[in-house]
Amino acid sequence: CLEVSRMSSMYLVSRENHPPTSARCCVSGYFCSPTEVNVLVVCGSSLEVYAVHDPRDDEGGRLSPENSSNGKASLFSVLRVDLHGLVESMALIRLPGRGTDQLLLAFREAKVSVVEYDPAENDIRTVVLNYFEGESLRRGRVSFGQAPILRIDPLKRCAALLCYESKLVVMPFRNKGFNLDEEEDLMPTKKMKTDSGALLRIGTVPDARTGFLPSYVIDLDDAGYKNVVDFTFLEGYWSDPTVALLHENVRTWAGRLAVLRNTRQLSALSLNISLRRHPLIWESKKLPHSCRALVPVPAPAGGVMVLSNNGLYYRHQGQKISLRLNGYALAGGEQEIKYQTLPPGTVPLVFDCAPPV
């Protein structure tokens, strides 16, 4: 018989025998210096920062992100930081009045941290912590199969986080388009809630303003956009930020493809941040059920490229172009989608499990 004392305590000890090595996210920008390109790589719960140097440059190898991939540059480790959580998505943003970029990190299930480089300590410094894990957003669910997705508007007007498979959190940035009082405090040291009561912003910053405005949440299920797979910001829309949603209101599976196959659709929403409205400006229906990723097309062409396992689909308002990569794209017939084919002699391609870069 083993008697356990009532005063005994239990402790959990965790030790990392080997640091993570599998890269999950990667971005490039001016994170440590306004003149030196940095490559930021996230491996699980570890953030690694590298400096890009070119031996042909006598001034220290200053490169821009556009010409740093010529094969002649080398990487030097600047910093490695252990984070308290697994990073699912990240992005860099240059806010007005800042000399370097700030890093946005998205964690499960719906947390966003904004950090910047501190040259005095050679470490990162937390600027803003966003917490969107209220019970009203979860709706009773405990786990979710899709990780949070973080995207930045091309004109740096806002950021958006897709979480809980049905919630779009819009985080506006302060810029010349917003009329703010000079005495308005954007960074209180206590709780700060939105209309949904789901936002908690804490932390301290070196100056009085952080450049972030109060966030708000769009319930995509209530708006009629169910089972969102991916989203992205579109280029060429100067009035308001515009997002494209890839969603599937009516789901199908392999056993029902003979009856229901082209179930995914694309919807473009214009985000009116001041009024917190999101009208639909155009949509494209009857996309294959295997579509899973969106890639924005740069201006002036604009629009978005939809990636599936067996085809590529370009959509922009009334424009529709579909490219067949292999014979499996015609498994369901061509009654609803008219495909263009690859040139003769081209090796068939398959994008199964291939993420866009």
Side-chain angles (χ1 to χ4, degrees), residues 29-91:
Y30 299 93
F31 182 68
C32 299
S33 170
T35 59
E36 188 176 59
V37 180
N38 297 114
V39 176
L40 290 79
V41 181
V42 165
C43 302
S45 60
S46 175
L47 173 63
E48 300 176 357
V49 181
Y50 299 92
V52 181
H53 292 275
D54 190 352
R56 300 171 301 173
D57 193 344
D58 297 333
E59 298 180 0
R62 299 176 181 177
L63 297 177
S64 64
E66 289 77 13
N67 61 8
S68 61
S69 60
N70 54 9
K72 301 297 183 180
S74 57
L75 297 179
F76 293 88
S77 179
V78 176
L79 178 66
R80 182 184 182 276
V81 182
D82 291 329
L83 306 174
H84 299 282
L86 297 177
V87 178
E88 301 291 350
S89 182
M90 69 176 181

Side-chain angles (χ1 to χ4, degrees), residues 2 116 189 278:
L2 178 62
E116 64 182 6
T189 57
H278 44 277

Side-chain angles (χ1 to χ4, degrees), residues 277-303:
R277 303 290 183 182
H278 44 277
L280 176 67
I281 55 177
W282 59 270
E283 63 180 352
S284 179
K285 298 183 178 180
K286 296 183 178 180
L287 291 171
H289 74 286
S290 60
C291 294
R292 51 186 174 79
L294 299 178
V295 178
V297 178

Side-chain angles (χ1 to χ4, degrees), residues 155-281:
L155 297 181
K156 308 300 187 281
R157 292 168 290 189
C158 67
L161 177 72
L162 177 63
C163 55
Y164 304 122
E165 304 175 358
S166 62
K167 302 297 186 297
L168 186 66
V169 181
V170 181
M171 297 173 283
F173 302 142
R174 178 182 178 271
N175 52 45
K176 297 180 180 180
F178 293 95
N179 184 15
L180 297 176
D181 188 3
E182 293 296 332
E183 301 298 330
E184 183 181 1
D185 186 11
L186 296 180
M187 186 63 186
T189 57
K190 58 182 181 180
K191 290 183 179 180
M192 176 178 168
K193 297 183 178 180
T194 60
D195 297 337
S196 62
L199 172 63
L200 176 64
R201 181 172 293 174
I202 59 177
T204 57
V205 292
D207 52 4
R209 292 180 179 269
T210 64
F212 290 84
L213 297 176
S215 307
Y216 66 96
V217 182
I218 301 176
D219 194 324
L220 299 177
D221 275 349
D222 294 343
Y225 312 103
K226 303 180 182 298
N227 305 317
V228 179
V229 178
D230 193 12
F231 84 102
T232 187
F233 281 93
L234 300 181
E235 298 189 18
Y237 292 86
W238 309 103
S239 57
D240 291 319
T242 302
V243 296
L245 304 175
L246 180 62
H247 58 100
E248 188 177 25
N249 291 346
V250 180
R251 286 183 170 178
T252 186
W253 63 293
R256 295 197 63 198
L257 292 183
V259 179
L260 193 63
R261 56 183 180 272
N262 297 330
T263 55
R264 306 229 162 150
Q265 60 187 64
L266 187 67
S267 301
L269 308 180
S270 178
L271 301 180
N272 191 324
I273 297 177
S274 59
L275 299 179
R276 296 190 176 182
R277 303 290 183 182
H278 44 277
L280 176 67
I281 55 177

